[in-house]
């Protein structure tokens, strides 16, 4: 993966993002991509590998709310380029781990168990209690030689039990079983530190902007 460009990795990531949500696959839009999302609070999303004229020209044509523009850049880089109607979202981080993750020894606590599901190159792992209550959930989507980890979350009343780490380990087992060794995800500020403890590195900054109602 070291020889792959940001453009190559991003193309696989946005495809995985769409597969995970069972949406239409991304369409090429100039130097980026567009996904018809169709949600009430996210109609479309445009993703660009860099802040360029394609990005700037696009935002100047959009007036409707809930069309997201996303770019591999910092919020500060967007400020001064977007008009005031655009709301810049908190900093995100594209992260990579082009090797096996580093996990401490240990097993899932006895009161929990794993459940599995798969669809459209997407593998879902849930950690549930013995009574069937959802505690943590995440997905890994395999696109060519890239494993994209998506929508990793733990319910508030089950946090601080290390469940996210057990979940990531189980998801990685699926990628490795399919001979995929290159890992990629987009993290929030809160999630970034967890992934760094597992051996992930920041690949690129990632920022979104949207017009709200």
């Amino acid at each position: 993966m070291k020889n792959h460009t940001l453009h190559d990795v991003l193309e696989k990531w946005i495809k995985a993002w769409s597969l995970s949500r069972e949406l239409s696959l991304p369409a090429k839009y100039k130097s980026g991509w567009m996904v018809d999302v169709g949600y009430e609070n996210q109609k479309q999303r445009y993703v660009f590998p860099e802040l360029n004229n394609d990005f700037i020209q696009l935002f100047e044509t959009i007036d409707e709310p809930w069309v997201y523009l996303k770019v591999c850049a910092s919020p500060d880089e967007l400020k001064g380029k977007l008009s005031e109607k655009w709301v810049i979202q908190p900093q995100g981080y594209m992260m990579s781990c082009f090797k096996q993750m580093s996990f401490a020894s240990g097993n899932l606590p006895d009161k929990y168990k794993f459940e599995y599901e798969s669809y459209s190159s997407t593998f879902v792992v849930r950690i549930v209690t013995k009574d069937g209550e959802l505690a943590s959930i995440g997905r890994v989507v395999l696109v060519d030689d890239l494993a994209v980890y998506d929508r990793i979350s733990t319910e508030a009343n089950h946090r601080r039990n290390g469940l996210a780490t057990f979940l990531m380990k189980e998801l990685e087992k699926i990628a490795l079983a399919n001979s995929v060794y290159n890992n990629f995800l987009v993290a929030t500020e809160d999630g970034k530190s967890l992934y760094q403890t597992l051996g992930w590195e920041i690949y690129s900054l990632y920022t979104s902007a949207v017009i709200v109602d």
Side-chain angles (χ1 to χ4, degrees):
M1 288 297 295
K2 291 182 179 179
N3 295 325
H4 288 213
T5 66
L6 173 58
H7 184 280
D8 294 333
V9 174
L10 198 58
E11 184 173 25
K12 293 174 183 177
W13 171 77
I14 190 62
K15 180 179 180 181
W17 188 93
S18 301
L19 288 169
S20 173
R21 290 156 181 79
E22 299 185 275
L23 301 172
S24 299
L25 293 181
K28 197 78 177 73
Y29 178 85
K30 297 185 177 179
S31 58
W33 299 268
M34 184 276 291
V35 178
D36 269 320
V37 181
Y39 300 161
E40 184 177 352
N41 62 350
Q42 184 173 181
K43 297 174 183 176
Q44 294 175 317
R45 64 164 42 197
Y46 291 84
V47 180
F48 292 88
E50 61 182 345
L51 186 56
N52 56 19
N53 286 335
D54 293 342
F55 181 94
I56 293 170
Q57 289 169 6
L58 176 61
F59 88 76
E60 290 175 343
T61 69
I62 296 174
D63 293 313
E64 62 179 314
W66 306 119
V67 176
Y68 278 80
L69 301 187
K70 296 171 174 282
V71 63
C72 295
S74 70
D76 286 343
E77 291 177 84
L78 268 63
K79 291 174 183 176
K81 291 185 170 62
L82 299 180
S83 58
E84 292 183 359
K85 64 186 178 182
W86 288 91
V87 179
I88 298 176
Q89 305 298 294
Q91 174 74 74
Y93 301 89
M94 290 192 157
M95 301 186 72
S96 63
C97 185
F98 297 153
K99 60 184 179 182
Q100 285 191 235
M101 292 182 237
S102 301
F103 295 103
S105 59
N107 297 311
L108 187 68
D110 288 340
K111 65 178 181 178
Y112 297 109
K113 64 179 180 178
F114 292 112
E115 291 184 347
Y116 305 89
E117 178 189 356
S118 63
Y119 59 88
S120 303
S121 302
T122 302
F123 298 84
V124 184
V125 175
R126 295 180 181 86
I127 297 176
V128 300
T129 67
K130 294 301 173 64
D131 295 328
E133 178 187 352
L134 178 65
S136 189
I137 186 171
R139 298 155 183 81
V140 62
V141 190
L142 306 182
V143 178
D144 299 331
D145 59 345
L146 195 67
V148 174
Y149 295 72
D150 187 47
R151 290 186 284 171
I152 310 296
S153 66
T154 300
E155 298 299 313
N157 57 325
H158 291 281
R159 290 173 186 165
R160 301 187 183 281
N161 291 319
L163 297 186
T165 298
F166 288 114
L167 186 71
M168 291 295 289
K169 186 174 183 179
E170 200 68 13
L171 290 168
E172 186 189 46
K173 286 180 183 178
I174 294 171
L176 294 175
N178 285 274
S179 301
V180 180
Y181 307 97
N182 302 304
N183 305 304
F184 201 79
L185 57 74
V186 172
T188 62
E189 186 69 45
D190 290 340
K192 174 169 65 77
S193 57
L194 165 66
Y195 300 125
Q196 287 176 322
T197 66
L198 303 181
W200 291 70
E201 299 176 348
I202 295 174
Y203 190 85
S204 173
L205 300 182
Y206 182 65
T207 304
S208 304
V210 64
I211 300 171
V212 300
D213 286 330

